[in-house]
Amino acid sequence: MAQVVIYQERCKSCLYCVKFCPKQVLKVGTQVNSKGYLYVSAAHPERCIGCSICANMCPDAAIEIYT
């Protein structure tokens, strides 16, 4: 199983990762980072297939995938 790592302070809640994830692993969280953004979290990490689409789509390099 792949591991999703989200760097909360880098996330600006653009939601590209949420939109393009083929397995709906990610969602907008309920916590706010120090910049005032609701950062993304892994709602269903067990669904991650390690495709890295979310990490590639992120303009702020806030996501890394480990397989």
Side-chain angles (χ1 to χ4, degrees), residues 40-65:
V40 170
S41 64
H44 302 285
E46 72 281 358
R47 294 182 188 172
C48 183
I49 58 173
C51 68
S52 297
I53 292 173
C54 59
N56 291 328
M57 294 302 298
C58 182
D60 298 300
I63 301 173
E64 289 186 7
I65 304 297

Side-chain angles (χ1 to χ4, degrees), residues 11-40:
C11 182
K12 292 182 183 170
S13 200
C14 68
L15 304 182
Y16 291 143
C17 59
V18 174
K19 180 177 179 179
F20 290 101
C21 178
K23 297 295 183 178
Q24 293 83 42
V25 172
L26 307 170
K27 70 168 188 160
V28 178
T30 58
Q31 303 288 327
V32 177
N33 64 19
S34 65
K35 297 175 185 172
Y37 296 105
L38 290 169
Y39 56 83
V40 170

